[in-house]
Amino acid sequence: MAHVDKLVKDLLSSDAMKEYNRARVYLDENYKSQENFTALGSFYFLHESLKNVYQYDFKAKKYRKVTGKEIYSDTLESTPMLEKEKFPQEFFPESKSSRKGFIRTRWCITDCAFDLVNIHLFHDASNLIAWESSPSSYSGIRQKALSYVLNSITDHRFEKIPYFVFGDFNFRLDLKSVVETLCAKTTMQTVHATDSNTVDKLIFRESENDRKVVLQIEKKLFDYFNQEVFRDNNGTALLEFDKELSVFKDRLYELDITFPPSYPYSEDSSQGKQYMNTRCPAWCDRILMSHSAKELLLKSENDERIVIYDSVGPNICMGDHKPVFLSFRIAAGAGKANAHVHKCCIVQ
């Protein structure tokens, strides 16, 4: 992990970052601790124009002024400036090596306090299982984990303040409904494993047109014949199947999504817009906020786009996830400060 720390130090000292005179970097690199390891990383860069920035000390229960650039790694459990937790194993028992969890930090900028929570929820282990029911069993697991986080960051231990939750939520489209819509005029063939009676593959064919194969589904295969469905108009037609956040509508708010599904993109550097055929494309990467945090965002002035919610590198290979970002201004007291919350690319 030493090379990662060097890369971070090089980044902090680069010309591109010279206007960011304060930084806090938290890297969970303690992979030897299976009980606590999340592999999460949170980077916070503070522009020189921001004055009087404070970070909360969860142990001392008070804010400390942020100065200089600091990197924390290895054992984050001993760092009082954050809360980090790995989800209990019983949340996702079929994955014994799960690294899912969250990191929470608390900030105060120009008298405006808020929490920033970096989160990584559980994925769909099998397309075949995800397809079986609506909503899928995996959706229920993510719901349980997200509820756990929200309850943790709003409990009685600390003052309740606005919060932003961002990262790889692994939210998926309701796969059964998607397949029923995309393959409404097809017939389904079920292929069983040769050594058992378990379903190994689903093949959807057109009733006519020489029984052309429209879709094939396996545990880690979702091969639909026309990827343009997921890219056309940024996949807007599929948003009706993006239902996992609806359970939290009383606790969480999200700006309108105007970018294509953020996962799973090809990792071929020459295929920046191409999806892999491993999973049904979905908006896994999100930036959500409490309703009180929504009130912190300044409204548009003179039709200027002050609040922007979009993805990064739409035509460039960024890994299997496209990072998303939320850019906004904070209305705090009598002054106004620029602030940006960026989601890093989390590779599963």
Side-chain angles (χ1 to χ4, degrees), residues 19 37 69 72 80 87 90 117 127 139 147 171 203-204 217-218 241 248 252 256 272 275 285 293 303 314 316 334:
E19 294 183 356
F37 182 54
K69 300 179 180 181
Y72 297 88
F87 292 123
E90 59 266 23
V117 184
N127 293 323
S139 175
S147 294
F171 286 164
I203 303 175
F204 297 83
I217 300 178
E218 297 178 18
F241 305 112
F248 299 94
L252 292 171
D256 291 340
Y275 289 106
D285 306 274
D303 296 326
I316 302 171

Side-chain angles (χ1 to χ4, degrees), residues 2 5 17 23 42 58 91 110 119 157 162 164-165 197 205 231 258 270 284 290 299:
D5 291 344
M17 301 300 296
S42 294
F58 288 98
F91 278 23
T110 58
I119 193 171
R157 294 172 300 144
F164 296 86
V165 187
N197 197 36
R205 300 177 183 272
R231 290 191 289 261
T258 59
S270 65
C284 293
S290 63
K299 306 299 182 182

Side-chain angles (χ1 to χ4, degrees), residues 148-217:
Y148 181 86
V149 174
L150 297 181
N151 291 339
S152 176
I153 65 176
T154 59
D155 63 17
H156 65 278
R157 294 172 300 144
F158 307 101
E159 178 186 1
K160 294 183 180 180
I161 62 174
Y163 56 83
F164 296 86
V165 187
F166 55 93
D168 181 5
F169 290 82
N170 262 312
F171 286 164
R172 306 301 172 98
L173 303 185
D174 187 317
L175 192 59
K176 189 171 183 65
S177 298
V178 170
V179 172
E180 288 174 351
T181 300
L182 296 180
C183 303
K185 297 181 179 181
T186 66
T187 56
M188 183 183 75
Q189 175 188 354
T190 303
V191 180
H192 292 84
T194 55
D195 57 346
S196 68
N197 197 36
T198 58
V199 176
D200 193 48
K201 180 188 298 187
L202 300 173
I203 303 175
F204 297 83
R205 300 177 183 272
E206 292 185 357
S207 300
E208 300 177 352
N209 195 25
D210 294 328
R211 293 185 52 79
K212 174 185 174 181
V213 175
V214 172
L215 171 67
Q216 293 188 71
I217 300 178

Side-chain angles (χ1 to χ4, degrees), residues 45-249:
F45 307 121
L46 303 171
H47 195 270
E48 60 188 11
S49 63
L50 291 175
K51 310 300 181 184
N52 300 319
V53 179
Y54 296 85
Q55 187 180 0
Y56 193 69
D57 183 323
F58 288 98
K59 185 176 181 180
K61 294 189 175 182
K62 65 180 182 180
Y63 286 95
R64 301 187 185 279
K65 190 166 186 177
V66 179
T67 60
K69 300 179 180 181
E70 299 177 0
I71 302 172
Y72 297 88
S73 60
D74 196 18
T75 308
L76 296 185
E77 284 72 28
S78 61
T79 304
M81 308 308 289
L82 59 79
E83 286 194 321
K84 181 182 77 72
E85 188 172 349
K86 180 180 176 180
F87 292 123
Q89 181 63 47
E90 59 266 23
F91 278 23
F92 198 36
E94 66 180 273
S95 179
K96 298 188 183 302
S97 60
S98 172
R99 302 173 299 179
K100 309 301 190 291
F102 68 96
I103 290 178
R104 170 199 194 185
T105 54
R106 175 167 289 192
W107 304 82
C108 185
I109 301 176
T110 58
D111 300 322
C112 179
F114 52 87
D115 281 346
L116 297 178
V117 184
N118 184 354
I119 193 171
H120 192 186
L121 297 183
F122 302 100
H123 61 285
D124 283 12
S126 169
N127 293 323
L128 294 170
I129 294 176
W131 174 84
E132 289 177 347
S133 61
S134 175
S136 77
S137 56
Y138 299 120
S139 175
I141 294 172
R142 287 187 286 272
Q143 178 181 333
K144 181 178 180 180
L146 183 52
S147 294
Y148 181 86
V149 174
L150 297 181
N151 291 339
S152 176
I153 65 176
T154 59
D155 63 17
H156 65 278
R157 294 172 300 144
F158 307 101
E159 178 186 1
K160 294 183 180 180
I161 62 174
Y163 56 83
F164 296 86
V165 187
F166 55 93
D168 181 5
F169 290 82
N170 262 312
F171 286 164
R172 306 301 172 98
L173 303 185
D174 187 317
L175 192 59
K176 189 171 183 65
S177 298
V178 170
V179 172
E180 288 174 351
T181 300
L182 296 180
C183 303
K185 297 181 179 181
T186 66
T187 56
M188 183 183 75
Q189 175 188 354
T190 303
V191 180
H192 292 84
T194 55
D195 57 346
S196 68
N197 197 36
T198 58
V199 176
D200 193 48
K201 180 188 298 187
L202 300 173
I203 303 175
F204 297 83
R205 300 177 183 272
E206 292 185 357
S207 300
E208 300 177 352
N209 195 25
D210 294 328
R211 293 185 52 79
K212 174 185 174 181
V213 175
V214 172
L215 171 67
Q216 293 188 71
I217 300 178
E218 297 178 18
K219 180 179 180 179
K220 295 185 178 181
L221 177 73
F222 186 88
D223 190 4
Y224 187 63
F225 82 105
N226 180 21
Q227 280 202 4
E228 289 304 314
V229 168
F230 306 105
R231 290 191 289 261
D232 186 41
N233 196 25
N234 292 325
T236 302
L238 297 169
L239 281 171
E240 66 174 294
F241 305 112
D242 180 67
K243 302 176 180 179
E244 294 198 33
L245 187 57
S246 62
V247 179
F248 299 94
K249 63 182 180 181

